[in-house]
Amino acid sequence: MRKIVDWVVLWKISNHQALIEGNLGVGFLESGYFLGFGLILGGTLKGEATDWQTGFKSSLLFTGLALVSLILVYFAHEGMTRYNVRQGLRDGLASSGIESGAVLVAISLPLRYAVSGDFTDWVPDIKSFLLNFAAGLVILYLGRWLVDKYILTSCTVSDLIENNAYAGMVVLGGSFITISAIATVIVSQLGVPAIVQ
């Protein structure tokens, strides 16, 4: 897991060396990866299957899907932002790492819900995972846009990043996680697994 994260975050730079040198941006982003992955992994270990082999295979599959999902979200986040995320990390901007790490933790909440619980069957469970992933992304970035447009009235997310505004990014990151948590509760009440079966 660590090698994959190191390769994805800054493949031409030693993340370990960057951390030793006090690069907070890399530190916060890696923390987001590991915390998000841990949340999802905890979800894969909840519930029961018909037998231990099926339970092991489903846990392995959804753990792999979780890791791929976090990597895809990171790349999607890079593509949807107006600033250069990687350059911010290279420059050691904690604000860049805080926002990106918060996005990864936020998307992990609906994914944790999607993979937790009893195993039913491969196709419905994979559909449920993908539906929660897509819904989580839409809600997260809609929430990010609303915060950027209506709450951050005197500046933009890009301004906070470029000025390395720690406090503003902590508030923004917290809002991502809060929006995602609320959305996850709503989705769980709607019964997404029942929709895809």
Side-chain angles (χ1 to χ4, degrees):
M1 166 72 181
R2 176 165 181 157
K3 291 286 185 188
I4 295 170
V5 169
D6 285 354
W7 176 77
V8 169
V9 174
L10 291 173
W11 58 77
K12 294 183 178 179
I13 293 176
S14 169
N15 293 355
H16 182 69
Q17 187 61 36
L19 291 171
I20 290 172
E21 292 170 1
N23 187 321
L24 293 177
V26 171
F28 282 120
L29 178 57
E30 285 202 355
S31 297
Y33 262 114
F34 293 126
L35 184 56
F37 185 72
L39 285 168
I40 299 169
L41 183 59
T44 65
L45 300 175
K46 289 177 69 178
E48 297 181 6
T50 52
D51 53 62
W52 75 267
Q53 294 95 335
T54 304
F56 178 75
K57 288 175 188 175
S58 67
S59 292
L60 199 60
L61 171 70
F62 287 110
T63 299
L65 284 174
L67 182 57
V68 170
S69 297
L70 289 177
I71 291 168
L72 288 175
V73 168
Y74 176 67
F75 285 120
H77 180 67
E78 278 190 318
M80 289 186 211
T81 54
R82 295 178 186 170
Y83 63 91
N84 189 323
V85 174
R86 287 181 196 271
Q87 190 57 51
L89 294 172
R90 286 188 195 99
D91 295 342
L93 295 179
S95 55
S96 182
I98 290 170
E99 188 202 17
S100 301
V103 164
L104 295 175
V105 173
I107 197 65
S108 298
L109 297 176
L111 294 182
R112 176 184 171 86
Y113 165 72
V115 299
S116 64
D118 294 341
F119 175 82
T120 54
D121 197 6
W122 293 106
V123 173
D125 285 356
I126 291 171
K127 282 183 181 177
S128 175
F129 180 89
L130 295 175
L131 184 60
N132 276 277
F133 178 56
L137 270 181
V138 169
I139 292 167
L140 178 62
Y141 281 97
L142 178 62
R144 182 182 189 265
W145 178 79
L146 290 171
V147 167
D148 200 7
K149 187 166 181 68
Y150 296 107
I151 296 176
L152 298 175
T153 54
S154 61
C155 63
T156 65
V157 174
S158 296
D159 293 335
L160 292 175
I161 298 292
E162 289 163 8
N163 295 320
N164 204 23
Y166 288 61
M169 290 316 300
V170 169
V171 170
L172 186 65
S175 72
F176 293 163
I177 295 168
T178 302
I179 290 166
S180 185
I182 292 168
T184 301
V185 170
I186 292 169
V187 168
S188 70
Q189 295 303 311
L190 293 175
V192 168
I195 294 170
V196 299
Q197 286 179 351

